[in-house]
Amino acid sequence: MSRSARRITATVLASGALLAAAALPATADGRDHGHHRPAQRSAVVLGEIQYDSPGRDNGSNRSLNGEWVTVTNTGRHAVNLRGWTLTDESRRSYTFDLRLAGRSSVRVHTGVGRDTRHDVYQDRRHYVWDSRDTATLRDARGHKVDSESWGGRHRGGGHRGNR
């Protein structure tokens, strides 16, 4: 091989190596490369959780509604939660049918009650959230949006504050 051919080959190989090195970080940058848009993180998250209702667990509606999970829209724009679900580890599930305003929250109570903009009710007659459990929020397509765990190797106590 001539000296010129070796230089051209070396230049091509070096250029290829540089292009490959530049492409590697792009595959792990959290972007949707099919559309060249940043992968979006949901503005809707789980907030405070009261998994052990205050007072005696006597199964009354008041006691059932003493356990709740807060879902918060941290964004400026309203989000349609219709079809979204909130589920525990035992796969007990609540399906949302509401629009959550921007920078607002809704509490999902276990017992029976009248739904409002700030409080919704699962209409259950038994407790949902155990002392060791995980609350999982999924969008209408079933994609996991957020989750919180407590008890066991997680922090204990009856109330989980904002993260």
Side-chain angles (χ1 to χ4, degrees):
M1 198 191 266
S2 73
R3 186 179 225 176
S4 299
R6 280 187 288 203
R7 282 186 179 164
I8 290 171
T9 303
T11 303
V12 168
L13 289 174
S15 298
L18 285 173
L19 285 172
L24 279 176
T27 62
D29 67 358
R31 292 182 179 265
D32 176 4
H33 291 284
H35 299 94
H36 300 293
R37 293 184 310 232
Q40 293 201 345
R41 181 171 160 86
S42 177
V44 180
V45 297
L46 294 173
E48 293 183 277
I49 298 172
Q50 178 68 49
Y51 60 83
D52 185 13
S53 60
R56 287 183 40 228
D57 290 341
N58 59 12
S60 70
N61 193 51
R62 181 178 181 158
S63 180
L64 289 168
N65 284 329
E67 69 172 22
W68 42 261
V69 174
T70 303
V71 176
T72 300
N73 179 358
T74 62
R76 291 184 307 170
H77 303 288
V79 175
N80 186 357
L81 298 184
R82 174 176 263 177
W84 288 42
T85 58
L86 178 64
T87 309
D88 75 336
E89 284 182 351
S90 298
R91 299 186 189 245
R92 290 173 286 215
S93 185
Y94 171 77
T95 303
F96 290 88
D97 186 17
L98 65 97
R99 188 169 186 80
L100 186 57
R103 295 195 172 111
S104 67
S105 296
V106 64
R107 271 192 184 167
V108 182
H109 298 272
T110 297
V112 177
R114 185 169 161 248
D115 293 349
T116 67
R117 287 185 308 158
H118 301 289
D119 295 279
V120 295
Y121 299 84
Q122 296 188 50
D123 296 332
R124 294 185 180 273
R125 303 284 182 200
H126 302 283
Y127 297 99
V128 171
W129 307 107
D130 300 322
S131 60
R132 292 181 197 175
D133 214 337
T134 300
T136 303
L137 182 66
R138 294 186 183 277
D139 66 18
R141 293 187 210 154
H143 298 128
K144 183 175 167 183
V145 175
D146 197 10
S147 68
E148 280 289 336
S149 298
W150 58 89
R153 63 184 177 276
H154 309 288
R155 280 193 279 176
H159 183 265
R160 295 277 307 192
N162 288 331
R163 290 171 282 135

